[in-house]
């Protein structure tokens, strides 16, 4: 059963926040949905936004500046949370790169995380079914994008489900989490020490293993403090070139990792997705 946490009219549409008891994550999960005014006339395309480390649905909802253009373009924007939460959910409260706010959009296989940290299945299975049942969503026209950890999620989910999504883009994604210092420890805790099991959670390795997506758009700020340690977009560029896959990688001079960067280029990404979703 889904409950409404809040709702407000915006740009002729409706921005809502909702909660439900998730069977996949075995806890209550919260998500946000912006329904554009065109939905009054019938189902509209669905664009999924996956947030980064430490975030919830609220970060992009409050700071992403997507509603004005989404309303003009007729796009529904769905913003899931980044992890399971609540009492009894395994966590490392002093580690912002793991646990609460850091689900990495994977299905954990290791105890004690396997029961709750199933964000891949939640984002690709349970939540889409809920959205389809309760909102005027055209599930035949879907796109996906995200930021940082969420950019990693968007890339890997699109590469693993190319028939579902018409478009994929990312802001400052973690392109190779299996080797990045701030994501590798999380993958080991969630998935175990066998690195072969990590390949499906790494965009560059998915591409090396033969997964394809028609084209990708990535924006990355040159003043991003995480550029060299965690993000390394050149590795995605190398993987796409080797595979003959189309990537538009835009290095944006002077921009950092914050929502000042994301909101600046949000319109470009919304237009990119709208053109490809039809």
């Amino acid at each position: 059963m889904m409950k409404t946490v809040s709702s407000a009219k915006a740009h002729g549409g409706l921005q809502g926040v909702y909660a439900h008891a998730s069977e996949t994550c075995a806890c209550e999960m919260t998500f946000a949905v912006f329904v554009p005014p065109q939905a009054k006339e019938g189902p509209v395309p669905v664009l999924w936004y996956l947030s980064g480390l430490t975030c919830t649905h609220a970060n992009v909802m409050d700071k992403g500046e997507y509603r004005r253009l989404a309303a003009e373009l007729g796009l529904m924007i769905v913003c899931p949370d980044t992890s399971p939460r609540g009492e009894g959910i395994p966590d490392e409260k002093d580690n912002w790169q793991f646990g609460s706010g850091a689900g990495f959009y994977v299905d954990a296989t290791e105890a004690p995380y396997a029961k709750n940290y199933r964000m891949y299945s939640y984002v690709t299975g349970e939540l889409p079914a809920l959205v389809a049942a309760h909102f005027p969503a055209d599930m035949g026209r879907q796109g996906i994008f995200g930021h940082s950890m969420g950019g990693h999620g968007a890339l890997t989910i699109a590469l693993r489900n190319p028939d579902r999504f018409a478009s994929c883009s990312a802001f400052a994604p973690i392109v190779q989490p299996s080797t990045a210092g701030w994501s590798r420890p999380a993958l080991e805790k969630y998935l175990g020490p066998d690195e072969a099991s990590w390949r499906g959670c790494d965009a560059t390795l998915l591409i090396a293993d033969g997964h394809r997506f028609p084209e990708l758009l990535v924006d990355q700020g040159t003043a991003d403090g995480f550029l060299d340690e965690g993000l390394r977009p050149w590795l995605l560029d190398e993987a796409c070139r080797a595979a003959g896959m189309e990537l538009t990688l835009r290095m944006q001079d002077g921009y950092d990792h914050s929502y000042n960067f994301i909101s600046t280029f949000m319109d470009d990404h919304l237009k990119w997705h709208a053109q490809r979703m039809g």
Side-chain angles (χ1 to χ4, degrees):
M1 181 177 178
M2 188 183 76
K3 63 181 179 181
T4 301
V5 176
S6 66
S7 64
K9 188 172 182 179
H11 297 280
L14 185 70
Q15 177 66 69
V17 177
Y18 308 92
H20 71 110
S22 168
E23 293 185 6
T24 303
C25 297
C27 66
E28 183 174 83
M29 295 292 289
T30 304
F31 63 99
V33 179
F34 175 71
V35 179
Q38 293 86 342
K40 298 171 186 175
E41 307 300 323
V44 293
V46 181
L47 181 55
W48 297 84
Y49 179 89
L50 305 185
S51 292
L53 287 163
T54 75
C55 293
T56 70
H57 66 278
N59 296 74
V60 68
M61 189 178 77
D62 294 342
K63 297 182 286 188
E65 300 181 20
Y66 58 81
R67 280 178 286 267
R68 177 192 56 79
L69 188 57
E72 292 181 16
L73 297 172
L75 300 178
M76 180 182 296
I77 312 294
V78 181
C79 309
D81 201 350
T82 53
S83 76
R85 299 176 190 271
E87 187 176 350
I89 305 296
D91 190 17
E92 292 184 6
K93 297 187 181 301
D94 296 328
N95 184 359
W96 64 275
Q97 296 172 336
F98 184 75
S100 182
F104 277 94
Y105 304 99
V106 303
D107 282 351
T109 57
E110 298 297 295
Y113 309 108
K115 177 182 178 182
N116 305 106
Y117 286 85
R118 304 185 64 231
M119 290 302 296
Y120 176 83
S121 290
Y122 177 72
V123 169
T124 61
E126 184 177 20
L127 189 55
L130 193 69
V131 168
H134 292 277
F135 297 91
D138 182 351
M139 303 304 282
R141 291 188 290 168
Q142 297 185 66
I144 190 167
F145 68 150
H147 170 232
S148 194
M149 177 184 72
H152 138 75
L155 293 172
T156 56
I157 288 171
L159 285 164
R160 292 172 65 176
N161 300 274
D163 295 334
R164 177 182 297 193
F165 298 100
S167 54
C168 176
S169 71
F171 302 100
I174 305 172
V175 306
Q176 195 175 85
S178 65
T179 62
W182 67 343
S183 50
R184 180 181 171 85
L187 293 187
E188 184 167 6
K189 291 174 186 177
Y190 287 136
L191 303 176
D194 180 6
E195 296 185 25
S197 67
W198 304 2
R199 297 187 72 86
C201 308
D202 184 308
T204 62
L205 299 182
L206 282 167
I207 293 169
D209 289 344
H211 291 263
R212 297 290 182 268
F213 199 80
E215 54 182 333
L216 303 171
L217 168 65
V218 171
D219 275 308
Q220 171 66 61
T222 62
D224 191 322
F226 302 113
L227 180 58
D228 294 329
E229 175 190 0
L231 307 175
R232 304 173 298 166
W234 51 87
L235 298 178
L236 180 64
D237 187 43
E238 292 170 4
C240 287
R241 288 178 185 275
M245 208 171 96
E246 186 172 346
L247 167 67
T248 300
L249 173 59
R250 308 192 306 184
M251 299 300 296
Q252 303 292 1
D253 187 47
Y255 284 91
D256 60 16
H257 199 68
S258 73
Y259 271 90
N260 296 311
F261 157 63
I262 296 166
S263 62
T264 299
F265 300 102
M266 178 63 76
D267 281 9
D268 290 354
H269 285 246
L270 294 180
K271 291 174 182 176
W272 165 277
H273 290 279
Q275 290 171 356
R276 285 152 183 80
M277 288 193 287

